[in-house]
Coordinates of all heavy atoms in Angstrom, one line a residue:
R23 N 200.1 137.8 141.8 CA 198.9 137.8 142.6 C 199.1 137.6 144.1 O 198.3 138.2 144.8 CB 198.0 136.6 142.1 CG 197.5 136.9 140.7 CD 196.4 135.8 140.4 NE 195.9 136.1 139.1 CZ 194.7 136.7 138.8 NH1 194.1 137.2 139.8 NH2 194.3 136.9 137.6
E24 N 200.1 136.9 144.4 CA 200.3 136.8 145.9 C 200.7 138.1 146.5 O 200.3 138.4 147.6 CB 201.4 135.7 146.1 CG 201.6 135.4 147.6 CD 202.5 134.2 147.9 OE1 202.8 133.5 146.9 OE2 202.9 134.1 149.0
A25 N 201.5 138.9 145.8 CA 201.9 140.2 146.3 C 200.6 141.1 146.6 O 200.6 141.8 147.6 CB 202.8 140.9 145.3
R26 N 199.7 141.0 145.6 CA 198.4 141.8 145.8 C 197.7 141.3 147.0 O 197.2 142.1 147.8 CB 197.5 141.7 144.6 CG 196.2 142.4 144.7 CD 195.4 142.3 143.4 NE 194.3 143.2 143.5 CZ 193.1 142.8 143.9 NH1 192.9 141.6 144.4 NH2 192.1 143.6 143.9
A27 N 197.6 140.0 147.2 CA 196.8 139.4 148.4 C 197.5 139.9 149.7 O 196.9 140.2 150.6 CB 196.7 137.9 148.3
Q28 N 198.9 139.8 149.7 CA 199.6 140.2 150.9 C 199.5 141.7 151.2 O 199.3 142.1 152.3 CB 201.1 139.8 150.7 CG 201.3 138.3 150.8 CD 202.8 137.9 150.5 OE1 203.5 138.7 150.0 NE2 203.1 136.7 150.9
A29 N 199.5 142.5 150.1 CA 199.3 143.9 150.3 C 197.9 144.3 150.9 O 197.8 145.1 151.8 CB 199.6 144.7 149.0
L30 N 196.9 143.6 150.3 CA 195.6 143.9 150.8 C 195.4 143.4 152.3 O 194.8 144.0 153.1 CB 194.5 143.2 149.9 CG 194.3 143.9 148.6 CD1 193.5 142.9 147.7 CD2 193.5 145.2 148.8
Q31 N 196.1 142.2 152.6 CA 196.0 141.7 153.9 C 196.7 142.7 154.9 O 196.2 142.9 156.0 CB 196.7 140.3 154.0 CG 196.5 139.7 155.4 CD 195.0 139.4 155.7 OE1 194.3 138.9 154.9 NE2 194.6 139.9 156.8
S32 N 197.8 143.3 154.5 CA 198.5 144.2 155.3 C 197.6 145.5 155.6 O 197.6 146.0 156.7 CB 199.8 144.7 154.6 OG 200.5 145.7 155.3
V33 N 196.9 145.9 154.6 CA 196.0 147.1 154.8 C 194.9 146.7 155.7 O 194.6 147.4 156.6 CB 195.4 147.6 153.4 CG1 194.3 148.6 153.6 CG2 196.5 148.1 152.5
C34 N 194.4 145.5 155.6 CA 193.3 145.0 156.5 C 193.9 145.0 158.0 O 193.2 145.4 158.9 CB 192.8 143.6 156.1 SG 191.9 143.5 154.7
D35 N 195.1 144.5 158.1 CA 195.7 144.4 159.5 C 195.8 145.8 160.1 O 195.6 146.0 161.2 CB 197.0 143.7 159.4 CG 196.9 142.2 159.1 OD1 195.8 141.6 159.1 OD2 197.9 141.6 158.7
Q36 N 196.2 146.7 159.2 CA 196.4 148.1 159.7 C 195.0 148.7 160.1 O 194.9 149.4 161.1 CB 197.0 149.0 158.6 CG 198.5 148.6 158.4 CD 199.1 149.4 157.2 OE1 198.8 150.5 157.0 NE2 199.9 148.7 156.4
L37 N 194.0 148.4 159.3 CA 192.6 149.0 159.5 C 192.1 148.4 160.8 O 191.3 149.0 161.5 CB 191.7 148.7 158.4 CG 192.0 149.4 157.1 CD1 191.1 148.9 156.0 CD2 191.8 150.9 157.3
R38 N 192.5 147.2 161.2 CA 192.0 146.6 162.4 C 192.8 147.0 163.6 O 192.5 146.6 164.8 CB 192.0 145.0 162.3 CG 191.0 144.5 161.4 CD 191.0 142.9 161.5 NE 190.7 142.4 160.2 CZ 191.5 141.7 159.5 NH1 192.7 141.4 159.9 NH2 191.2 141.2 158.3
G39 N 193.9 147.7 163.4 CA 194.8 148.1 164.5 C 194.2 149.1 165.4 O 193.2 149.7 165.1
P40 N 194.8 149.1 166.6 CA 194.2 150.0 167.7 C 194.2 151.5 167.4 O 193.2 152.2 167.7 CB 195.1 149.7 168.9 CG 196.3 149.1 168.4 CD 196.0 148.4 167.1
D41 N 195.2 152.0 166.6 CA 195.2 153.4 166.3 C 194.1 153.8 165.3 O 193.4 154.8 165.5 CB 196.6 153.8 165.7 CG 197.7 153.6 166.7 OD1 197.5 153.7 167.9 OD2 198.9 153.5 166.3
V42 N 194.0 153.0 164.3 CA 192.9 153.2 163.3 C 191.5 153.1 164.0 O 190.6 153.9 163.7 CB 193.1 152.3 162.1 CG1 191.9 152.5 161.1 CG2 194.4 152.6 161.4
Q43 N 191.4 152.1 164.8 CA 190.1 151.8 165.5 C 189.8 153.0 166.4 O 188.6 153.4 166.6 CB 190.1 150.5 166.3 CG 190.1 149.3 165.4 CD 188.9 149.3 164.4 OE1 187.7 149.4 164.9 NE2 189.1 149.1 163.2
A44 N 190.8 153.6 167.1 CA 190.6 154.8 167.9 C 190.1 155.9 167.1 O 189.2 156.7 167.5 CB 191.8 155.1 168.7
V45 N 190.7 156.1 165.9 CA 190.2 157.2 165.1 C 188.8 157.0 164.6 O 187.9 157.9 164.6 CB 191.1 157.4 163.8 CG1 190.6 158.3 162.8 CG2 192.5 157.8 164.3
L46 N 188.5 155.8 164.3 CA 187.1 155.4 163.8 C 186.1 155.7 165.0 O 185.0 156.2 164.7 CB 187.1 154.0 163.4 CG 185.7 153.5 162.8 CD1 185.2 154.4 161.7 CD2 185.8 152.0 162.4
Q47 N 186.4 155.3 166.2 CA 185.6 155.5 167.3 C 185.4 157.0 167.5 O 184.2 157.5 167.9 CB 186.1 154.8 168.6 CG 186.0 153.3 168.5 CD 186.7 152.7 169.7 OE1 187.3 153.3 170.6 NE2 186.6 151.3 169.8
S48 N 186.4 157.8 167.4 CA 186.3 159.2 167.5 C 185.4 159.8 166.5 O 184.5 160.7 166.8 CB 187.7 159.9 167.5 OG 188.5 159.5 168.5
L49 N 185.5 159.4 165.3 CA 184.6 159.8 164.2 C 183.2 159.5 164.5 O 182.3 160.3 164.3 CB 185.1 159.2 162.8 CG 186.4 159.7 162.2 CD1 186.7 158.9 161.0 CD2 186.3 161.2 161.9
A50 N 182.9 158.3 164.9 CA 181.6 157.8 165.2 C 181.0 158.6 166.4 O 179.9 159.0 166.4 CB 181.5 156.3 165.5
R51 N 181.8 158.8 167.4 CA 181.4 159.5 168.6 C 181.0 161.0 168.3 O 180.1 161.5 168.9 CB 182.5 159.5 169.7 CG 182.1 159.9 171.1 CD 183.2 159.6 172.1 NE 184.5 160.0 171.7 CZ 185.5 159.1 171.5 NH1 185.3 157.8 171.6 NH2 186.7 159.5 171.1
T52 N 181.7 161.6 167.4 CA 181.4 163.0 167.1 C 180.4 163.1 166.0 O 180.0 164.2 165.6 CB 182.7 163.7 166.6 OG1 183.2 163.1 165.4 CG2 183.7 163.8 167.7
G53 N 179.9 162.0 165.5 CA 178.8 162.0 164.5 C 179.3 162.4 163.1 O 178.6 162.9 162.3
S54 N 180.6 162.2 162.9 CA 181.2 162.6 161.6 C 180.6 161.8 160.4 O 180.4 160.6 160.6 CB 182.7 162.4 161.6 OG 183.3 162.6 160.4
N55 N 180.4 162.5 159.3 CA 180.0 161.8 158.1 C 181.0 160.8 157.6 O 180.7 159.9 156.8 CB 179.6 162.8 157.0 CG 178.4 163.6 157.4 OD1 177.6 163.2 158.1 ND2 178.4 164.8 156.9
Y56 N 182.3 161.0 158.0 CA 183.4 160.2 157.5 C 183.3 158.8 158.1 O 183.9 157.9 157.6 CB 184.7 160.8 157.8 CG 184.9 162.1 156.9 CD1 185.0 163.3 157.5 CD2 185.1 162.0 155.6 CE1 185.2 164.5 156.8 CE2 185.3 163.1 154.8 CZ 185.3 164.4 155.4 OH 185.5 165.5 154.7
A57 N 182.7 158.6 159.3 CA 182.7 157.3 159.9 C 182.1 156.3 159.1 O 182.6 155.2 158.9 CB 181.9 157.4 161.3
Q58 N 180.9 156.5 158.5 CA 180.3 155.6 157.6 C 181.1 155.3 156.4 O 181.2 154.1 155.9 CB 178.9 156.0 157.3 CG 178.1 155.0 156.5 CD 176.6 155.4 156.2 OE1 176.2 156.5 156.6 NE2 175.9 154.6 155.6
A59 N 181.6 156.3 155.8 CA 182.4 156.1 154.6 C 183.7 155.3 154.9 O 184.1 154.4 154.1 CB 182.8 157.5 154.0
F60 N 184.3 155.5 156.0 CA 185.4 154.8 156.4 C 185.1 153.3 156.6 O 185.8 152.4 156.2 CB 186.0 155.4 157.7 CG 187.3 154.8 158.1 CD1 188.5 155.2 157.5 CD2 187.4 153.8 159.0 CE1 189.7 154.6 157.9 CE2 188.6 153.2 159.4 CZ 189.7 153.6 158.9
Q61 N 184.0 153.1 157.3 CA 183.5 151.7 157.5 C 183.3 151.0 156.1 O 183.6 149.8 156.0 CB 182.2 151.7 158.3 CG 182.4 151.9 159.7 CD 183.0 150.7 160.4 OE1 184.1 150.3 160.1 NE2 182.4 150.1 161.4
Q62 N 182.7 151.7 155.2 CA 182.5 151.1 153.8 C 183.8 150.8 153.1 O 184.0 149.7 152.6 CB 181.7 152.1 153.0 CG 181.3 151.5 151.6 CD 180.5 150.2 151.7 OE1 179.5 150.2 152.4 NE2 180.9 149.2 151.0
V63 N 184.8 151.7 153.2 CA 186.1 151.5 152.6 C 186.7 150.2 153.3 O 187.3 149.4 152.6 CB 187.0 152.7 152.7 CG1 188.4 152.4 152.4 CG2 186.5 153.8 151.8
S64 N 186.6 150.2 154.6 CA 187.2 149.0 155.3 C 186.6 147.7 154.9 O 187.2 146.7 154.7 CB 187.0 149.2 156.8 OG 187.7 150.3 157.3
S65 N 185.2 147.7 154.7 CA 184.5 146.5 154.3 C 185.0 146.2 152.9 O 185.2 145.0 152.5 CB 183.0 146.7 154.3 OG 182.6 146.9 155.6
D66 N 185.1 147.2 152.0 CA 185.6 146.9 150.6 C 187.0 146.3 150.6 O 187.2 145.4 149.8 CB 185.5 148.2 149.8 CG 184.1 148.7 149.6 OD1 183.1 147.9 149.8 OD2 184.0 149.9 149.1
V67 N 187.9 146.8 151.4 CA 189.2 146.3 151.5 C 189.2 144.8 152.0 O 189.9 144.0 151.4 CB 190.1 147.2 152.3 CG1 191.5 146.5 152.5 CG2 190.3 148.5 151.7
E68 N 188.4 144.6 153.0 CA 188.3 143.2 153.5 C 187.8 142.2 152.4 O 188.3 141.1 152.3 CB 187.3 143.1 154.7 CG 187.8 143.8 156.0 CD 188.7 142.9 156.8 OE1 188.7 141.7 156.6 OE2 189.3 143.5 157.7
A69 N 186.8 142.7 151.7 CA 186.2 141.8 150.6 C 187.3 141.6 149.5 O 187.4 140.5 149.0 CB 185.0 142.5 150.1
A70 N 188.0 142.6 149.2 CA 189.0 142.5 148.2 C 190.1 141.6 148.6 O 190.6 140.7 147.8 CB 189.6 143.9 147.8
A71 N 190.5 141.6 149.9 CA 191.5 140.7 150.4 C 191.0 139.3 150.4 O 191.8 138.4 150.0 CB 191.9 141.1 151.8
D72 N 189.8 139.1 150.8 CA 189.2 137.7 150.8 C 189.2 137.2 149.3 O 189.6 136.0 149.1 CB 187.8 137.7 151.3 CG 187.8 137.9 152.8 OD1 188.8 137.8 153.5 OD2 186.7 138.2 153.3
E73 N 188.8 138.0 148.4 CA 188.8 137.6 147.0 C 190.1 137.3 146.5 O 190.3 136.3 145.8 CB 188.1 138.6 146.2 CG 187.9 138.2 144.7 CD 187.2 139.3 143.9 OE1 186.7 140.3 144.4 OE2 187.1 139.0 142.7
A74 N 191.1 138.1 146.8 CA 192.5 137.9 146.4 C 193.1 136.6 146.9 O 193.7 135.8 146.1 CB 193.4 139.0 146.8
W75 N 192.8 136.3 148.2 CA 193.3 135.0 148.7 C 192.6 133.8 148.1 O 193.3 132.8 147.8 CB 193.2 135.0 150.2 CG 194.2 135.8 150.9 CD1 194.0 136.9 151.7 CD2 195.7 135.6 150.9 NE1 195.2 137.5 152.1 CE2 196.2 136.7 151.7 CE3 196.5 134.7 150.3 CZ2 197.6 136.8 151.8 CZ3 197.9 134.8 150.5 CH2 198.4 135.9 151.3
E76 N 191.3 133.9 147.9 CA 190.6 132.8 147.3 C 191.0 132.6 145.8 O 191.2 131.5 145.4 CB 189.1 133.1 147.3 CG 188.3 131.9 146.8 CD 186.8 132.1 146.9 OE1 186.3 131.9 148.0 OE2 186.2 132.6 145.9
T77 N 191.2 133.7 145.1 CA 191.7 133.6 143.7 C 193.0 132.9 143.7 O 193.3 132.0 142.8 CB 191.8 135.0 143.1 OG1 190.4 135.6 143.1 CG2 192.3 134.9 141.7
L78 N 193.9 133.3 144.6 CA 195.3 132.7 144.6 C 195.2 131.2 144.9 O 195.9 130.4 144.2 CB 196.1 133.4 145.7 CG 197.5 133.1 145.8 CD1 198.2 133.6 144.5 CD2 198.1 133.9 147.0
Q79 N 194.3 130.8 145.8 CA 194.1 129.4 146.1 C 193.6 128.6 144.8 O 194.2 127.6 144.5 CB 193.1 129.3 147.2 CG 192.7 127.8 147.5 CD 191.6 127.7 148.5 OE1 191.1 128.7 149.0 NE2 191.2 126.5 148.8
F80 N 192.6 129.2 144.2 CA 192.0 128.4 143.0 C 192.9 128.5 141.8 O 193.0 127.5 141.1 CB 190.6 129.0 142.7 CG 189.6 128.5 143.7 CD1 188.9 129.5 144.4 CD2 189.5 127.2 144.1 CE1 187.9 129.1 145.4 CE2 188.5 126.8 145.0 CZ 187.8 127.7 145.7
V81 N 193.6 129.6 141.6 CA 194.6 129.6 140.5 C 195.7 128.6 140.7 O 196.1 128.0 139.7 CB 195.1 131.1 140.3 CG1 196.3 131.1 139.4 CG2 194.1 132.0 139.8
G82 N 196.1 128.4 141.9 CA 197.1 127.4 142.2 C 196.7 126.0 141.8 O 197.5 125.2 141.3
T83 N 195.4 125.7 141.9 CA 194.9 124.4 141.6 C 194.9 124.2 140.1 O 195.0 123.0 139.6 CB 193.5 124.1 142.1 OG1 192.6 125.0 141.5 CG2 193.5 124.2 143.6
L84 N 194.8 125.2 139.3 CA 194.7 125.2 137.9 C 196.1 125.3 137.2 O 196.3 125.0 136.0 CB 193.8 126.2 137.3 CG 192.3 126.0 137.6 CD1 191.5 127.3 137.3 CD2 191.8 124.9 136.8
R85 N 197.1 125.8 138.0 CA 198.4 126.2 137.4 C 199.1 125.1 136.7 O 199.5 125.2 135.6 CB 199.2 126.8 138.4 CG 200.6 127.3 137.9 CD 201.4 128.2 138.8 NE 200.7 129.4 138.8 CZ 200.5 130.2 139.8 NH1 200.9 129.8 141.0 NH2 199.9 131.4 139.7
S86 N 199.2 123.9 137.3 CA 199.9 122.8 136.7 C 199.3 122.3 135.4 O 200.0 122.1 134.4 CB 200.1 121.6 137.7 OG 198.9 121.0 138.0
L87 N 197.9 122.3 135.4 CA 197.3 121.9 134.2 C 197.4 122.9 133.1 O 197.7 122.6 131.9 CB 195.8 121.6 134.4 CG 195.4 120.4 135.3 CD1 194.0 120.4 135.7 CD2 195.7 119.1 134.5
A88 N 197.3 124.2 133.4 CA 197.5 125.2 132.4 C 198.9 125.3 131.9 O 199.2 125.5 130.7 CB 197.1 126.6 133.1
D89 N 199.9 125.0 132.8 CA 201.3 125.0 132.3 C 201.5 123.8 131.4 O 202.2 124.0 130.4 CB 202.2 124.8 133.5 CG 202.4 126.1 134.4 OD1 201.9 127.1 133.9 OD2 202.9 126.0 135.5
R90 N 200.9 122.7 131.7 CA 201.1 121.5 130.8 C 200.4 121.8 129.4 O 200.9 121.4 128.4 CB 200.5 120.3 131.4 CG 201.4 119.8 132.5 CD 200.9 118.7 133.4 NE 200.4 117.5 132.6 CZ 199.6 116.6 133.2 NH1 199.2 116.7 134.4 NH2 199.3 115.5 132.4
L91 N 199.2 122.5 129.4 CA 198.6 122.8 128.2 C 199.4 123.8 127.4 O 199.5 123.7 126.2 CB 197.2 123.4 128.5 CG 196.1 122.5 128.8 CD1 194.8 123.3 129.2 CD2 195.7 121.6 127.5
S92 N 199.9 124.8 128.0 CA 200.7 125.8 127.3 C 202.0 125.3 126.7 O 202.5 125.8 125.8 CB 200.9 127.1 128.1 OG 201.8 126.8 129.2
A93 N 202.6 124.3 127.4 CA 203.8 123.7 126.9 C 203.6 122.7 125.8 O 204.6 122.3 125.2 CB 204.5 123.0 128.1
A94 N 202.4 122.3 125.5 CA 202.2 121.3 124.5 C 202.5 121.9 123.1 O 202.2 123.0 122.8 CB 200.7 120.9 124.5
E95 N 203.1 121.1 122.3 CA 203.4 121.5 120.9 C 202.3 121.3 119.9 O 202.0 122.1 119.1 CB 204.6 120.7 120.4 CG 205.9 120.9 121.2 CD 206.5 122.3 121.0 OE1 206.4 122.8 119.8 OE2 207.1 122.9 121.9
T96 N 201.5 120.1 120.1 CA 200.5 119.8 119.2 C 199.3 119.2 120.0 O 199.4 118.9 121.2 CB 200.9 118.7 118.1 OG1 201.2 117.6 118.9 CG2 202.0 119.2 117.3
L97 N 198.2 119.1 119.3 CA 197.0 118.5 120.0 C 197.1 117.0 119.9 O 196.4 116.3 119.1 CB 195.7 119.0 119.3 CG 195.4 120.4 119.6 CD1 194.1 120.8 118.8 CD2 195.1 120.6 121.1
S98 N 198.0 116.4 120.6 CA 198.2 115.0 120.6 C 197.2 114.3 121.6 O 196.5 114.9 122.3 CB 199.6 114.6 121.0 OG 199.8 115.0 122.4
D99 N 197.3 113.0 121.7 CA 196.5 112.2 122.6 C 196.8 112.6 124.0 O 196.0 112.6 124.9 CB 196.6 110.7 122.4 CG 195.9 110.3 121.1 OD1 195.1 111.0 120.6 OD2 196.3 109.2 120.6
D100 N 198.1 112.9 124.3 CA 198.5 113.2 125.6 C 197.9 114.5 126.1 O 197.5 114.7 127.2 CB 200.1 113.4 125.7 CG 200.8 112.1 125.5 OD1 200.2 111.0 125.8 OD2 201.9 112.1 125.1
L101 N 197.8 115.5 125.2 CA 197.2 116.8 125.5 C 195.7 116.6 125.7 O 195.1 117.2 126.6 CB 197.4 117.8 124.3 CG 196.9 119.2 124.5 CD1 197.5 119.8 125.7 CD2 197.1 120.0 123.3
S102 N 195.0 115.8 124.9 CA 193.6 115.6 125.1 C 193.3 115.0 126.4 O 192.2 115.2 127.0 CB 193.0 114.8 123.9 OG 193.5 113.5 123.9
S103 N 194.2 114.3 127.0 CA 194.0 113.7 128.3 C 194.0 114.7 129.4 O 193.5 114.5 130.5 CB 195.0 112.6 128.6 OG 196.3 113.3 128.8
L104 N 194.4 116.0 129.1 CA 194.4 117.0 130.1 C 193.0 117.7 130.2 O 192.7 118.4 131.2 CB 195.4 118.1 129.8 CG 196.9 117.7 129.9 CD1 197.8 118.8 129.4 CD2 197.2 117.2 131.3
F105 N 192.2 117.6 129.2 CA 191.0 118.4 129.2 C 190.0 117.9 130.2 O 189.3 118.7 130.9 CB 190.3 118.3 127.8 CG 191.1 119.2 126.8 CD1 191.7 118.7 125.7 CD2 191.1 120.6 127.0 CE1 192.4 119.5 124.9 CE2 191.8 121.4 126.1 CZ 192.4 120.8 125.0
A106 N 189.9 116.6 130.5 CA 188.9 116.1 131.5 C 189.3 116.6 132.9 O 188.4 117.2 133.6 CB 188.8 114.6 131.4
P107 N 190.6 116.5 133.3 CA 190.9 117.0 134.6 C 190.8 118.6 134.7 O 190.4 119.1 135.7 CB 192.3 116.6 134.9 CG 192.8 115.8 133.7 CD 191.7 115.7 132.7
L108 N 191.1 119.2 133.6 CA 191.0 120.7 133.6 C 189.6 121.1 133.8 O 189.3 122.0 134.6 CB 191.5 121.2 132.2 CG 191.4 122.8 132.1 CD1 192.3 123.5 133.1 CD2 191.7 123.2 130.7
W109 N 188.6 120.5 133.0 CA 187.2 120.9 133.2 C 186.7 120.5 134.5 O 185.8 121.2 135.1 CB 186.4 120.4 132.0 CG 186.7 121.1 130.8 CD1 187.2 120.7 129.6 CD2 186.5 122.5 130.6 NE1 187.3 121.7 128.7 CE2 186.9 122.8 129.3 CE3 186.0 123.6 131.3 CZ2 186.9 124.1 128.7 CZ3 186.0 124.9 130.8 CH2 186.4 125.1 129.5
S110 N 187.1 119.4 135.1 CA 186.7 119.0 136.4 C 187.2 120.0 137.4 O 186.4 120.3 138.4 CB 187.3 117.6 136.7 OG 186.7 116.6 135.9
T111 N 188.4 120.4 137.3 CA 188.9 121.4 138.2 C 188.2 122.7 138.1 O 187.9 123.4 139.1 CB 190.4 121.6 138.0 OG1 191.1 120.3 138.1 CG2 191.1 122.5 139.0
V112 N 187.9 123.2 136.9 CA 187.2 124.4 136.7 C 185.8 124.3 137.3 O 185.3 125.2 138.0 CB 187.1 124.8 135.2 CG1 186.1 125.9 134.9 CG2 188.5 125.1 134.6
L113 N 185.2 123.2 137.2 CA 183.8 123.0 137.8 C 183.9 123.0 139.3 O 183.1 123.6 139.9 CB 183.3 121.6 137.3 CG 181.9 121.3 138.0 CD1 180.8 122.3 137.6 CD2 181.5 119.9 137.5
L114 N 185.0 122.4 139.9 CA 185.1 122.5 141.3 C 185.4 123.9 141.8 O 184.8 124.3 142.8 CB 186.3 121.5 141.8 CG 186.0 120.1 141.7 CD1 187.2 119.3 141.9 CD2 184.9 119.7 142.7
V115 N 186.2 124.6 141.1 CA 186.4 126.0 141.4 C 185.1 126.8 141.4 O 184.7 127.5 142.3 CB 187.4 126.7 140.5 CG1 187.5 128.2 140.6 CG2 188.8 126.1 140.7
W116 N 184.3 126.6 140.3 CA 183.0 127.3 140.2 C 182.1 126.9 141.3 O 181.4 127.8 141.9 CB 182.4 127.0 138.8 CG 181.1 127.7 138.6 CD1 181.0 129.0 138.2 CD2 179.8 127.2 138.7 NE1 179.6 129.3 138.1 CE2 178.9 128.2 138.4 CE3 179.3 125.9 139.1 CZ2 177.5 128.0 138.4 CZ3 178.0 125.7 139.1 CH2 177.1 126.8 138.8
Q117 N 182.1 125.7 141.7 CA 181.2 125.2 142.8 C 181.6 125.7 144.1 O 180.7 126.0 145.0 CB 181.1 123.7 142.8 CG 180.4 123.1 141.7 CD 180.5 121.6 141.7 OE1 181.5 121.0 142.1 NE2 179.4 120.9 141.2
H118 N 182.8 125.9 144.4 CA 183.3 126.2 145.8 C 183.7 127.6 146.0 O 183.9 128.0 147.1 CB 184.4 125.2 146.2 CG 184.0 123.8 146.2 ND1 183.2 123.3 147.3 CD2 184.1 122.8 145.4 CE1 183.0 122.1 147.1 NE2 183.5 121.7 145.9
S119 N 183.9 128.3 144.9 CA 184.3 129.7 145.0 C 183.2 130.6 145.3 O 182.1 130.6 144.6 CB 185.1 130.2 143.7 OG 185.3 131.6 143.8
T120 N 183.3 131.5 146.2 CA 182.2 132.5 146.5 C 182.3 133.7 145.5 O 181.3 134.4 145.2 CB 182.3 133.1 147.9 OG1 183.6 133.7 148.1 CG2 182.1 132.0 148.9
H121 N 183.5 133.8 144.8 CA 183.7 134.9 143.9 C 183.4 134.5 142.4 O 182.9 135.3 141.7 CB 185.0 135.6 144.1 CG 185.3 136.1 145.5 ND1 184.7 137.2 145.9 CD2 185.9 135.6 146.5 CE1 185.0 137.4 147.2 NE2 185.8 136.4 147.6
Y122 N 183.8 133.3 142.1 CA 183.7 132.9 140.7 C 182.3 132.3 140.5 O 181.8 132.1 139.4 CB 184.7 131.8 140.3 CG 186.1 132.4 140.2 CD1 187.1 132.0 141.1 CD2 186.4 133.4 139.3 CE1 188.4 132.5 141.0 CE2 187.6 133.9 139.2 CZ 188.6 133.5 140.0 OH 189.9 134.0 140.0
H123 N 181.6 132.0 141.6 CA 180.2 131.4 141.5 C 179.2 132.6 141.5 O 178.1 132.4 142.0 CB 180.0 130.4 142.6 CG 178.8 129.6 142.5 ND1 178.8 128.3 142.0 CD2 177.5 129.9 142.6 CE1 177.6 127.8 141.9 NE2 176.8 128.7 142.3
D124 N 179.6 133.7 141.1 CA 178.7 134.9 141.1 C 178.2 135.1 139.7 O 178.9 135.2 138.8 CB 179.5 136.1 141.6 CG 178.7 137.3 141.8 OD1 177.5 137.3 141.5 OD2 179.2 138.3 142.4
P125 N 176.9 135.2 139.5 CA 176.3 135.4 138.2 C 176.6 136.7 137.5 O 176.3 136.9 136.4 CB 174.8 135.2 138.4 CG 174.6 135.5 139.8 CD 175.8 135.1 140.5
K126 N 177.2 137.6 138.2 CA 177.5 139.0 137.6 C 178.5 138.9 136.5 O 179.5 138.7 136.4 CB 178.0 139.9 138.7 CG 177.0 140.3 139.7 CD 177.7 141.2 140.7 CE 176.9 141.2 142.0 NZ 177.5 142.0 143.1

C-alpha cells in the first residue's frame, strides 16, 4: 500500500511541475477540449493519492491488533480482550476518515 501511495504522490508531483503546467496553460489558451479532461484526470489523481495516504495511516493503526488476532490459536480470554480496542479503533477510523466515512 505504501508503494501505491508513493507512486500516486509522484504522479501528483509531476502534474504540478512547471512543464506539465505549461502544457496545461497552452491547452487552455488555445481552447482545447483536452484542457478540461486533463484537469479532471489531475483532480482524480490528487484524490486517489489523498485516499491512499489516509488509508495507509488508518491501516497502520489497525495493523498491530489485526496481527494479534490472526496469530491467536483459540478464542481465549486473551483474544477476547482485543475486541474492545479493535472496535474502538474501527470506530475512530470511521469517525475521522473522509474516505471510510462515506455512505457509498
